[in-house]
Amino acid sequence: MYKRLFGVWLCGCALSGAVSAQTAEAPLQAQSLQSPLSLSQVLAQVEANDFTLQRKQFEASAFDSEADAVADWPDPTVFAALQNLPTDSFSFSDEGMTNLRVGIKQMLPQGDTLMLRQQMAHLSRDLQTIEASARRLQLQREAALAWYEAWYWQKNLDLIEEDRVFVTQVLDFVRSMYQVGMRNQSDLIGAEYELLRLDERQIEARRKYQVYRSELDTLANAALVGQWLSAELPEQRLHIDAPIDQESLLQDLARHPIFSMQEQKVQLSGRQVALAEQAFAPNWGLELSYGLRNGSEMNGGSRPDLLSAGVSVQWPLFSNAKQSHQLRAARQRQAAQQNARDEALQKLRYQFLNLHQQYLDTAEHRKLYEREILPTLAAQKQTALNSYQADKGDFRLVSELLRKEQNARIQQQRLRVDEQKLLAQLNYWLPGTETEGAQAK
């Protein structure tokens, strides 16, 4: 008789647990907060407070200034010389060859070196901008992964609280039945152990949550406002059509900043080759001087001043082998950069395809839980409850099925989070994409 009574009571607990689950749609700990921490808020703070992005701005400005500096000719050389002064009298007017010579020398840029150096400075500036874009994508990925993992452990705490309501009610009932002799001690100890097991799981879940919550503060370089995260899990979509076309995938990956950085380095190495080729060009120089003289000519007239102008040229006659070795080294470095660029593209492709297969498997696994595993466990639990109500079942079987259902719910949340984490990593490799949370920002 009392088993029938307990079966009715247990059904009532299930109903009350369903009501409590509705009230726990938002995290229990976050219900007291006005504005829980969302993924978009985290992404905004992480990007705004990143020191590396700030350094990239400084470095880009530095290369911009350097581009203006290298565009100018080298400074001219101004000289003055007292020439042909007689040593017997040291008189400025005794000899006609004596003069005070003042002038200027100007070396001209060798070939197109100024233009090439300016182009290299601009390419280096653009490289800093590309690296900043790659850094933003990396920060978005790391912050999203940490946020999703923290959300998973927060959801664990919610599920534990829902389970605690039911287990506490079971313990109260078993204790009351035990006190009147209608239950044995093993059932009481078993119910108490279930509650202790929940306490242990809660401690572990809270510890894991705090680890990933602190990681968000570390990424943001600030104490983010809001101890708990938003209740809803931001869901993303894959920014590429299925089935994946290999050629389209390569074109998309080629626009990723990681690959663009390699392409920019190839262009820089190309300018280095062109700069090394300029060493074979002649190096021209101009000189203009004016000689001041004093004294008179033999006919009594004053001595005229002297004007001199000249052109100098430096040919790489004896250092040709040196220039050839430098050019060969520059070309080898360019080939190495091209090889690194091609390697980067292939690695991007295979990393993406590997992650995509993991995403497909995880999504199918999640659907299996939602379509079959969770409904099957719910039906088994209900059957066990009905059997126990009819005095044909065992309470330990009911408890075991309840635990299995709870573990399955946790695993289903794990698969949901893993699916979103894989999507965050996949969208990281695609150009011009952000998480849905960032788009909401």
Side-chain angles (χ1 to χ4, degrees):
M1 181 65 183
Y2 66 87
K3 286 189 176 183
R4 292 181 181 273
L5 178 62
F6 178 72
V8 175
W9 173 85
L10 200 56
C11 292
C13 287
L15 292 175
S16 64
V19 174
S20 64
Q22 293 177 358
T23 61
E25 289 180 357
L28 297 180
Q29 299 88 344
Q31 288 180 0
S32 61
L33 298 178
Q34 295 297 326
S35 56
L37 186 61
S38 66
L39 177 56
S40 60
Q41 291 172 328
V42 172
L43 295 178
Q45 288 295 317
V46 167
E47 183 175 335
N49 298 336
D50 188 62
F51 291 103
T52 301
L53 290 177
Q54 297 172 11
R55 286 198 300 273
K56 293 301 177 184
Q57 291 179 352
F58 294 141
E59 291 170 359
S61 299
F63 281 116
D64 234 354
S65 299
E66 187 176 325
D68 295 335
V70 298
D72 297 328
W73 280 13
D75 293 331
T77 301
V78 178
F79 62 89
L82 184 60
Q83 299 186 137
N84 304 314
L85 185 68
T87 58
D88 56 350
S89 64
F90 291 98
S91 174
F92 188 73
S93 58
D94 285 355
E95 300 291 339
M97 297 177 60
T98 303
N99 64 87
L100 176 63
R101 181 170 176 251
V102 294
I104 184 172
K105 294 180 181 179
Q106 176 66 59
M107 296 301 297
L108 302 181
Q110 190 173 14
D112 296 327
T113 54
L114 289 187
M115 179 189 69
L116 291 171
R117 292 186 185 279
Q118 189 176 40
Q119 291 177 355
M120 290 174 63
H122 285 150
L123 287 172
S124 297
R125 175 203 60 194
D126 296 339
L127 180 60
Q128 298 302 314
T129 303
I130 296 173
E131 289 178 352
S133 299
R135 175 65 177 174
R136 289 189 185 92
L137 289 176
Q138 179 186 0
L139 288 172
Q140 286 185 9
R141 179 181 61 177
E142 292 179 0
L145 293 180
W147 194 96
Y148 281 122
E149 196 64 26
W151 186 92
Y152 166 74
W153 290 107
Q154 178 177 279
K155 188 64 176 178
N156 262 268
L157 291 171
D158 295 337
L159 295 176
I160 290 170
E161 288 302 321
E162 292 177 19
D163 199 32
R164 184 184 300 278
V165 173
F166 178 81
V167 173
T168 301
Q169 292 173 342
V170 171
L171 177 59
D172 292 341
F173 179 83
V174 173
R175 183 179 290 118
S176 64
M177 293 295 101
Y178 173 73
Q179 290 174 352
V180 297
M182 299 178 65
R183 269 297 183 205
N184 55 40
Q185 190 176 16
S186 63
D187 290 342
L188 179 61
I189 294 175
E192 290 175 343
Y193 173 74
E194 290 298 325
L195 199 58
L196 291 174
R197 191 176 64 86
L198 287 178
D199 291 338
E200 181 184 17
R201 286 174 50 192
Q202 185 181 49
I203 293 173
E204 178 66 12
R206 185 176 289 121
R207 184 182 68 83
K208 289 290 186 64
Y209 171 79
Q210 194 57 47
V211 168
Y212 291 103
R213 178 61 182 80
S214 299
E215 185 176 343
L216 294 177
D217 288 345
T218 302
L219 289 171
N221 293 312
L224 296 172
V225 177
Q227 175 59 28
W228 300 98
L229 309 182
S230 55
E232 296 299 326
L233 181 66
E235 294 188 357
Q236 306 170 83
R237 60 180 180 85
L238 185 60
H239 298 284
I240 191 171
D241 295 331
I244 295 177
D245 180 70
Q246 294 288 332
E247 291 299 325
S248 298
L249 177 62
L250 286 177
Q251 293 176 5
D252 289 338
L253 294 177
R255 293 195 292 271
H256 193 277
I258 294 294
F259 182 79
S260 299
M261 285 193 298
Q262 296 296 333
E263 183 65 37
Q264 198 77 355
K265 291 177 181 179
V266 170
Q267 294 188 33
L268 270 170
S269 63
R271 297 303 188 280
Q272 289 283 5
V273 171
L275 194 62
E277 291 173 346
Q278 302 309 305
F280 294 93
N283 196 6
W284 295 88
L286 302 176
E287 180 178 329
L288 181 66
S289 64
Y290 191 84
L292 299 172
R293 295 197 302 173
N294 198 7
S296 302
E297 296 286 359
M298 295 181 62
N299 60 7
S302 61
R303 292 172 180 167
D305 295 336
L306 304 174
L307 178 66
S308 300
V311 177
S312 63
V313 60
Q314 183 182 23
W315 289 93
L317 298 179
F318 303 106
S319 60
N320 187 272
K322 174 183 177 181
Q323 278 86 345
S324 298
H325 289 307
Q326 290 176 339
L327 178 60
R328 187 178 300 110
R331 287 174 174 168
Q332 289 171 345
R333 290 190 179 95
Q334 183 186 31
Q337 289 294 342
Q338 291 172 341
N339 181 271
R341 176 197 60 189
D342 297 339
E343 179 189 25
L345 184 58
Q346 293 302 322
K347 282 188 175 181
L348 292 183
R349 178 175 69 166
Y350 289 113
Q351 287 178 6
F352 184 91
L353 293 175
N354 180 33
L355 287 171
H356 185 256
Q357 187 59 49
Q358 293 181 44
Y359 162 71
L360 294 178
D361 294 339
T362 303
E364 185 62 28
H365 197 181
R366 172 187 58 81
K367 293 174 183 177
L368 177 64
Y369 264 82
E370 294 174 351
R371 287 194 314 258
E372 299 182 22
I373 295 179
L374 285 175
T376 299
L377 287 175
Q380 289 179 347
K381 180 191 69 175
Q382 188 61 45
T383 301
L385 284 172
N386 295 337
S387 177
Y388 189 82
Q389 184 179 2
D391 293 336
K392 296 180 180 179
D394 186 4
F395 175 66
R396 285 177 296 181
L397 177 61
V398 175
S399 299
E400 181 181 352
L401 289 174
L402 286 171
R403 289 198 301 269
K404 284 185 177 180
E405 185 188 32
Q406 180 69 10
N407 291 335
R409 291 168 62 197
I410 292 176
Q411 180 61 17
Q412 186 252 351
Q413 296 300 327
R414 173 80 272 175
L415 292 171
R416 284 185 65 199
V417 168
D418 286 347
E419 187 177 356
Q420 295 305 313
K421 289 172 65 177
L422 287 167
L423 279 173
Q425 295 180 76
L426 286 170
N427 289 332
Y428 164 78
W429 295 113
L430 300 176
T433 62
E434 297 177 344
T435 62
E436 294 298 325
Q439 291 174 354
K441 175 186 66 174

